Amino acid sequence: FSVGPDSLDESEKFDLIVSNPPYIAPEEWVTLDTSVSEWEDPRALEAPDHGLAIIKKIISDAHRYLKSDIDH
C-alpha cells in the first residue's frame, strides 16, 4: 500500500520507514538510457536538489513518525 505524509497521524509511530522516492536530478533525465526515459514517468524518478529533495524530506521528518528507543 502507499502512504504519504499528508495521510499520516503523527500519534501513530512506526518501527521502520520504507520508501522508493524519486532520486534522479531533472538535468540527468536526458542522459538516461532510453529503456528508462521512454518507459518511466519522469514524476516517478525526478526530484529537485540534485535528486535529493524528497530523500532529504523523508530524513528530516522521520523522527516525527518513528518509534523512539523508549517505545521498544
Side-chain angles (χ1 to χ4, degrees):
F1 67 95
S2 176
V3 175
D6 296 335
S7 64
L8 293 175
D9 176 355
E10 286 188 38
S11 66
E12 186 174 6
K13 302 295 181 182
F14 302 91
D15 293 318
L16 177 69
I17 295 173
V18 178
S19 177
N20 185 18
Y23 55 88
I24 296 173
E27 58 273 10
E28 290 180 70
W29 188 259
V30 296
T31 68
L32 295 177
D33 188 86
T34 56
S35 66
V36 176
S37 63
E38 292 180 2
W39 178 256
E40 298 291 342
D41 184 336
R43 295 174 296 174
L45 297 178
E46 287 185 2
D49 191 12
H50 306 286
L52 298 173
I54 297 172
I55 295 168
K56 288 178 178 181
K57 177 78 171 147
I58 292 168
I59 292 169
S60 70
D61 291 351
H63 70 279
R64 294 173 30 204
Y65 303 103
L66 290 172
K67 292 179 182 176
S68 69
D69 287 339
I70 297 169
D71 298 331
H72 285 60

